[in-house]
Amino acid sequence: EKGGYDHFMVKEIFEQPQTIYDSLRGRLDAKKGTLTMGGIREYASLLKEARRIIIVACGTSWHAGLIAEYIIEELCRIPVEVEYASEFRYRNPVVGKGDVIIAVSQSGETADTLVAMESAKEKGAIILGVCNVVGSSIARLSHAGAYTHAGPEIGVASTKAFTAQLAVLTLIALKVAEEKGSITQQRFQYLLDELDSISEKVAATLKLDDQVKRIAHKYKDARDFLFLGRGYNFPIALEGALKLKEISYIHAEGYPAAEMKHGPIALVDENLPVVFVATRDSNYEKIVSNIQEIKARKGKVIAIVTEGDTSIRSMADDLIEVPAADELVAPIISVIPLQLLAYHIGVAKGFDVDKPRNLAKSVTVE
Ligand code: F6R
């Protein structure tokens, strides 16, 4: 049932080229330059006129929502908020007609997400669901939506569902931008092509498994980890930290790299591994100087960079080179080494990576 893998978690990590492909298939046709989103077709005009989009989710799905916020704002020029479902539901939120809620959930059963969307629906908002489980409660409560086609996710830590969510949320953003006319034909086509090649790049990234495993063994006894990124890669820093906490029980925090100097930099010394998600994008020069700040304080730097990077090479203690991609889709690639890092550290420490202590696969209580 684990298809020759030792754990579901690693099996699911390695399924990602296929599950991302499955989530794009039938929707994206890069050759023809078309994008079909059957599930949201009727709502596409409402979406493009939305005064605001609010994404509600928990955990890893919330991280996917944070990336979608950046993508939707960039491509559609519609304000987006991302809410922890549990916070949104308990504060009598200002929401109503003209608002579109996107509920993101692997299981489609997360109690907080479900109740948050129920109350927004009562107040007149349009509800879209992005779920992995067909016919789940969240899927049924939505007016419309798009499934991720990641297949059953058994490992408690979400991996392939996350990258499928990113793929589908990017498709939704592109569809709305196309309808709205807020994207040029040229950029639209370029991003379709970028998405079309993403599965192959994820497959190439998975070939780094042995290298990531060696890095995992080197740092497995660290007491704390920091994960830093900027822009589209900032939520990947949060996700890397969450995966590590869940699977290896090492304390880890994710931050936007620029926030370091507002406090967390006080933690940096020669015992602290700092993982930088520093692929080539519009924030690149800034993150290079953040790496220098960490090295100046003797922190250990593990950097996820774009293949062929030369500036960071001389500064990093460990370098993980991933294929180049447009910054909007780069998170789908840059999260892969972080999933593997958490996995290998958890295994090296002898923990049950498929069933981490205290965690349930789907949180159906408030
Ligand atoms: C992390 C993880 C959790 C879930 C969260 C939401 O690896 O699995 O943080 O992402 O409980 O679950 P869903 O997406 O099913 O609503």
Side-chain angles (χ1 to χ4, degrees), residues 60 96 173 323:
T60 287

Side-chain angles (χ1 to χ4, degrees), residues 56 85 88-89 95 101-105 108 110-131 136-144:
V56 295
F88 182 75
R89 59 174 290 200
V95 58
I101 304 283
I102 306 180
V104 184
S105 174
T110 300
D112 283 320
T113 308
L114 198 56
V115 182
M117 53 196 286
E118 267 168 358
S119 62
K121 194 175 181 183
E122 273 163 27
K123 290 175 175 171
I126 299 290
I127 317 289
L128 300 186
V130 173
C131 295
S136 57
S137 305
I138 290 175
R140 283 185 278 119
L141 198 74
S142 306
H143 292 110

Side-chain angles (χ1 to χ4, degrees), residues 50 52 92 138 162 208:
R52 187 173 55 150
N92 189 16
I138 290 175
F162 176 71
L208 304 172

Side-chain angles (χ1 to χ4, degrees), residues 1-5 7-25 106 132 149-155 157-164 198-200 202-207 332 336 339-340 361:
E1 49 173 6
K2 290 179 198 148
Y5 289 98
H7 304 95
F8 284 109
M9 183 181 177
V10 71
K11 171 176 177 270
E12 290 164 2
I13 291 173
F14 274 83
E15 276 170 2
Q16 289 176 107
Q18 185 64 41
T19 50
I20 294 165
Y21 175 78
D22 289 343
S23 300
L24 299 171
R25 187 173 50 182
Q106 187 285 124
N132 195 45
H149 295 290
E153 195 180 59
I154 311 290
S158 189
T159 53
K160 62 175 182 170
F162 176 71
T163 47
I198 203 80
S199 283
E200 270 167 51
V202 167
T205 308
L206 287 166
K207 297 213 169 80
I332 297 177
I336 305 289
Q339 295 171 342
L340 290 170
K361 181 62 189 159

Side-chain angles (χ1 to χ4, degrees), residues 58-61 105-108 110 156-158 165 242-243 246 363:
C58 304
T60 287
S61 298
S105 174
Q106 187 285 124
S107 62
T110 300
V156 163
S158 189
Q165 286 165 350
L242 178 62
K243 285 290 92 92
E246 284 181 287
V363 185

Side-chain angles (χ1 to χ4, degrees), residues 194-270:
E194 281 292 292
L195 276 173
D196 198 42
S197 62
I198 203 80
S199 283
E200 270 167 51
K201 293 177 186 176
V202 167
T205 308
L206 287 166
K207 297 213 169 80
L208 304 172
D209 187 42
D210 283 339
Q211 189 204 352
V212 177
K213 187 174 174 180
R214 281 194 298 277
I215 296 173
H217 284 245
K218 181 168 162 189
Y219 294 103
K220 71 176 176 30
D221 296 318
R223 201 189 53 182
D224 312 277
F225 261 78
L226 267 183
F227 288 77
L228 303 175
R230 298 177 80 115
Y232 296 98
N233 274 327
F234 151 55
I236 294 301
L238 299 182
E239 176 61 7
L242 178 62
K243 285 290 92 92
L244 191 67
K245 275 182 276 208
E246 284 181 287
I247 299 302
S248 73
Y249 314 146
I250 294 175
H251 167 242
E253 291 194 62
Y255 271 98
E259 275 295 303
M260 281 305 291
K261 47 183 155 310
H262 300 285
I265 202 159
L267 294 169
V268 179
D269 64 16
E270 68 280 6

